[in-house]
Amino acid sequence: MADTGRGGSIAALVLAVSVAATGCTASPSPLRSSALPTAPTSAPSAEGGHWSVAGEPEVLAHGLVAPWSVIPLAAGGALISQRDDGTIRELTARGALRDVGVVPDVVSGGEAGLNGIALQAVGDTTWLYAYHATRTDNRVVRMPLDGSPGSYRLGPAESVFTGIATAGNHDGGRLSFGPDGMLYVTTGDAGRGDAAQDRDSLNGKILRLTPDGRPAPGNPFGTAVWSYGHRNVQGIAWSGGGVMWASEFGQNTWDELNRIEPGANYGWPVVEGTGSDSAFRNPVAEWATDEASPSGIAAVDDTIFLAALRGERLWRVDTRGGAAVGDAQIVLDGLGRLRDAVAAPDGSLWVLTNNTDGRGSPRAGDDLLLRIPLARAD
C-alpha cells in the first residue's frame, strides 16, 4: 500500500512548487536523457517482470492548465495537450515550457475538448494526432509537427476520423499507436448507455484504425470497432507479450481495469464490474468509484500503473499471463487528481496532475508534470 512516510515528502514537494510558482526560484531543472540506466524503457523488456516506485516525484513542469495527455520525446522533453484551450505545449529538454500551437476548431465543455495526442513518424514527416470535440462531434485530426526540439510548431490540420458523438460527459479520448502500428482510439458512450452495445455506433468503443483513418485490416466486425460495451475508456496500454489493457470509468459502483481482446463485449450498461453472464468479459481488477475513477494508464513490462482522478492516487497492478497477480497497491497519493501516466524513455514514469480541470482543488503551481523513478519489484 502507500508509503506511510510519504506525507511529509509530498508536503515538501507541494511547498517547493508553490514557491516556484511565485517566481522565487528557477524553472525546473533540465530533463535528464538517461537518469536511470537500469530502469525500463517504454517498450517491454525481453524478460518481463514487475516494477514499482523507487523514490519521490520530481517536478518537471508546473503551471499547466487542465492538461490531459503527455508524450515524452526521445530527445528529451515532452508534448502536452491542454483540454480546455486546445493548446499543445512543449516541455523542452532544458525544462522550459512553450506553446507549440492551438488545435483548430476545439470546442470544450465538461469532459470534452482537446483530449489525447499521439505521434507517428512517416518518412520526413512527424504527425501529431489529436482527439478533440467540435460543435458537432468528437474527431481525430492530424497535423505535421514542424520545426525541431525547442521550436516545434503545428502545421495545417486534416481530419482522420469523424462522427463520434460528443457530450458534456463520457467522451473517451485516449489515442495510442499499438505494437501493430495501428491507431487505437477510445470513445465514451456520450451519456447514452445503449450506444455501447450497438456495434454500429462509434460510441462506447475502442476503435482500431489505419494511420489514415480507415478501419484496420483484421478488425473483428469489418468496421472500425475493436471492442465494445464500454462506458468511458480513458486509458490504454500494452504490457509484456503485447497484451492490451484499458481503464474504465464505472457509474456508481465499480471502476475497472480490463484486458482487451478483439470483438469482446465488456458489458456496459448491462453490467458494471464483475458479472455472471459469460457473454461479457469481466474486469481483471476493480475499484469502488471513489478510490479510482481511472484515466491514463502506463504499462512497464508486466506492471500497469493507473492514474486515478476522484481517487487522487496512482495504483499499481502486477499482471502475469493477462491476469492480475496479488492485490492492487497505492504507490503515490497526496497530489490531488491524476490524469495521465506514461513510461518515459529514461525508464521513469511520468504523471500529470489534473486539479485545474474544474473538479479539483488547485494549489499554487498546479497543474504538474511529475517524474517518478522506478525499480524492479521482483
Side-chain angles (χ1 to χ4, degrees), residues 324-362:
V325 178
D327 295 331
Q329 299 179 29
I330 302 168
V331 292
L332 178 70
D333 60 8
L335 289 168
R337 293 162 61 83
L338 305 182
R339 172 64 72 181
D340 199 10
V342 297
D346 69 353
S348 64
L349 189 73
W350 289 10
V351 173
L352 278 176
T353 71
N354 205 206
N355 297 315
T356 60
D357 71 343
R359 295 181 178 178
S361 299

Side-chain angles (χ1 to χ4, degrees), residues 245-263:
W245 302 92
S247 60
E248 178 93 20
F249 281 87
Q251 181 171 350
N252 298 315
T253 311
W254 297 113
D255 294 324
E256 303 174 1
L257 176 67
N258 287 301
R259 176 179 177 173
I260 301 300
E261 297 183 355

Side-chain angles (χ1 to χ4, degrees), residues 67-96:
W68 211 92
S69 183
V70 57
I71 303 174
L73 301 175
L79 297 177
I80 303 165
S81 66
Q82 294 190 158
R83 186 192 65 191
D84 294 347
D85 60 12
T87 300
I88 302 293
R89 307 199 72 185
E90 179 186 6
L91 174 66
T92 72
R94 297 182 63 84

Side-chain angles (χ1 to χ4, degrees), residues 199-236:
R199 296 208 309 249
D200 293 327
S201 169
L202 297 174
N203 287 84
K205 310 293 190 295
I206 297 176
L207 310 177
R208 179 173 174 263
L209 308 173
T210 64
D212 60 1
R214 293 174 289 111
N219 282 1
F221 310 115
T223 67
V225 173
W226 186 244
S227 62
Y228 67 109
H230 299 293
R231 183 173 181 265
N232 193 21
V233 172
Q234 287 190 0
I236 49 176

